[in-house]
Amino acid sequence: MCGIVGYVGKNDCSEVLVSALSRLEYRGYDSAGIAVFENGNINVIKAEGRLKNLENKMENENFPKGSAGIGHTRWATHGKPSDINSHPHIGGEYVTLVHNGIIENYRELKEKLEAQGREFYSETDTEVVAKLLDFNYEGDPIKAIEKTLAEVTGSFALGILFKDIPNVIYAVRRGSPLIVGVKDEEGFIASDVPAIIKYTKDYYLLEHDEIAKIAEGSITFTDLKGNPIDKELKTADWDMDAAEKGGYEHYMLKEINEQPDAVRKTVAPRVFHGMPSLEECSITLENLKDIKQVFIVACGTAMHAGMVGKYAIEKLARVPVNVDIASEFRYRSPLVGEGDLVIIISQSGETADSLEALRVSKALGAKVMGVVNAKGSSIARESDMLVYTHAGPEIAVASTKAYMVQIAVMYMLSFELAFAKGRIDEGECKRLTAELMAMPERIAEIIKSTDEISHEAAKCLIDAESLLYIGRGFDYALSMEGSLKLKEISYIHSECYAAGELKHGTISLITDGMPVIAVATQSDLFDKTISNIKEVKARGAKVLLICGDGFEVGEDVADMVIRVPMYEEMLMPMAAIVPLQLVAYYSSVLRGNDVDKPRNLAKSVTVE
Ligand code: M6R
């Protein structure tokens, strides 16, 4: 994920910026760049690839040390990794900036600016906000920022240089994090504490729509109207390891908390005038129209995301979808051929069975769409069509944010496919897309509201030897992932069953006190799931129910209920997965396990 840094002070600015950027490498990036003031000019240098490339280029070009500047590591979302698309971006005569996050309405803004005669050199949303800010700038940075922020939508943080205000950095954020560090006369900006912890542990947390002005020996904060704001100075008490986890105890918890941003980055750039548009991934309405059937092939969590995709695509687009475990698919002579779409979902893009399934499908004449998180990975390279998920690097072995963005892509695809097939009209497609666009804020709320109760629920589970997850429809697909999450990091045996299937054998496992986790978020299936819950309860099960807050649940139904707000029902897996992830996380913590590196597991499974 992109990282921002900035420095004003007596030291060699270029060196401080590169060193600070190196502390953000763990976030993942594909290019880097810096901009520094020197003698009234702003010098910009950028390079695709590792930071070392940037350093070599700086040395070869004798890049100035600079007196103040900004730097950036880019994780490509809009446009491929390249020198041109790297930050900083130049907006015109005055503005040079770096950006983290997403400008959702960048295409509309670009059209407007082009109509005003502004020309664009990159494919990025960042250049659009740089050009817009430059366009709005009439000598007063605060007014220009205010005007610009009134026009842009999305979640972002910006570090800005104005050419006529030397040695000063302006910073503003909406959604994406940004901190302002301070040490004596020096000032810093950064996306994350690790970037500056080598220099200072004292920092301010910039809040939504606050502007910071960083000059040597002075840091001031205002709102968008220029009214001064008093801020509390914080002191990081982290070591480097904790700092890289953003202050969270484990990467898994950090990554659960990164889900809203990951969804935003994955969805927003692909919405144009309210409609989903995967055209940049070579997926057009024209080529979707003729698809006869879909195969979704993946492993583990990615396969569970495919299950959600199956329910969504079949419900909306009425196209048959088979979900396959990649290690089975590749050896079972699959009935795949021309006119079929095979979707390979993979976080790492290197899973051996998924990669082989891709090759088998292509050999049989099917078109393959990769849904991949790791840029430039084998599955990404070999797919006919490619949708990158923008979760950023996922370090915990237990996948959380990668799953969340995989299902977000499945929804986008189901909307677009349904529209292409004439199964839904433009109004409905826009309505569903707007619901999806609203999910990041909702997910953030649910993380907050279910954290404590999920912790409590975990306390009731940790002594269990075995437990069951049950659900119907989307809730079944989701429960499969909940069950995997729990077993892989807590080491408690668990199975997931379609709630209606219990009576066909599994219910004989229920003994007094056995935990059952039931998920019920779909109104058409709610009563049926409740009946299944009653059946296990009558046999002694201790039931944890995760359900929509609009449903009435009798007192005798569950021992504990975790409620999540009800949204568009087909999107409920994005809401209900959160407490399931948290229950698994806290179960692992309470059992004293190595949460991020569970035994016997590897993050990327490159052997079959
Ligand atoms: O990298 P991939 O998405 O292809 O990996 C597939 C599975 O190994 C992976 O989803 C695994 O099940 C998760 N790490 C479990 O949390």
Side-chain angles (χ1 to χ4, degrees), residues 211-236:
I211 300 174
K213 178 183 174 191
I214 300 110
E216 199 178 328
S218 108
I219 295 178
T220 49
F221 299 96
T222 63
D223 63 16
L224 293 179
K225 297 275 176 223
N227 301 311
I229 298 173
D230 267 343
K231 292 191 71 72
E232 184 199 343
L233 186 66
K234 297 184 181 296
T235 301

Side-chain angles (χ1 to χ4, degrees), residues 299-302 345-349 351 397-399 406 484-485 488 605:
C299 303
T301 291
I345 306 178
S346 176
Q347 187 286 127
S348 64
T351 300
V397 166
S399 185
Q406 286 161 353
L484 175 66
K485 217 75 310 166
E488 71 175 323
V605 185

Side-chain angles (χ1 to χ4, degrees), residues 24-231:
L24 293 180
E25 281 190 299
Y26 74 95
R27 295 158 68 97
Y29 68 105
D30 44 55
S31 54
I34 64 170
V36 297
F37 277 112
E38 207 206 37
N39 302 329
N41 279 325
I42 298 176
N43 301 283
V44 177
I45 189 161
K46 359 197 224 185
E48 189 188 335
R50 312 305 297 167
L51 261 181
K52 195 75 209 140
N53 300 357
L54 179 68
E55 287 180 274
N56 291 341
K57 204 166 170 185
M58 286 166 68
E59 202 178 318
N60 294 341
E61 295 182 13
N62 212 4
F63 192 73
K65 290 180 189 310
S67 43
I70 49 179
H72 190 267
T73 43
R74 175 172 187 255
W75 170 276
T77 53
H78 300 62
K80 59 185 175 300
S82 68
D83 287 6
I84 283 195
N85 287 333
S86 318
H87 305 205
H89 280 283
I90 300 171
E93 199 183 337
Y94 296 104
V95 170
T96 297
L97 59 74
V98 288
H99 159 226
N100 177 17
I102 295 282
I103 307 298
E104 289 171 1
N105 57 339
Y106 80 103
R107 290 203 243 191
E108 287 91 330
L109 293 171
K110 192 170 181 178
E111 279 174 4
K112 180 189 134 178
L113 288 161
E114 278 171 339
Q116 306 276 0
R118 298 267 166 155
E119 285 176 12
F120 287 82
Y121 57 82
S122 78
E123 302 160 89
T124 63
D125 54 341
T126 307
E127 192 193 348
V128 175
V129 74
K131 292 254 150 84
L132 184 64
L133 187 57
D134 195 79
F135 181 78
N136 288 332
Y137 183 59
E138 290 172 342
D140 182 338
I142 308 270
K143 279 204 175 116
I145 292 171
E146 186 203 1
K147 199 162 173 205
T148 303
L149 263 61
E151 291 179 75
V152 297
T153 58
S155 158
F156 47 82
L158 304 172
I160 312 158
L161 306 180
F162 293 90
K163 193 172 165 197
D164 56 338
I165 313 179
N167 300 338
V168 174
I169 302 173
Y170 282 84
V172 65
R173 71 162 278 235
R174 179 179 287 170
S176 304
L178 201 67
I179 59 161
V180 177
V182 57
K183 187 187 174 208
D184 305 326
E185 302 293 288
E186 294 171 294
F188 304 81
I189 60 167
S191 300
D192 218 343
V193 176
I196 57 167
I197 211 156
K198 176 174 156 193
Y199 302 100
T200 181
K201 289 191 166 191
D202 295 330
Y203 68 96
Y204 299 94
L205 213 49
L206 203 61
E207 298 292 347
H208 189 81
D209 281 358
E210 286 180 354
I211 300 174
K213 178 183 174 191
I214 300 110
E216 199 178 328
S218 108
I219 295 178
T220 49
F221 299 96
T222 63
D223 63 16
L224 293 179
K225 297 275 176 223
N227 301 311
I229 298 173
D230 267 343
K231 292 191 71 72

Side-chain angles (χ1 to χ4, degrees), residues 380-398:
R381 287 197 309 273
E382 294 189 31
S383 296
D384 299 309
M385 296 164 265
L386 175 62
V387 185
Y388 274 126
T389 51
H390 295 303
E394 193 179 58
I395 294 166
V397 166

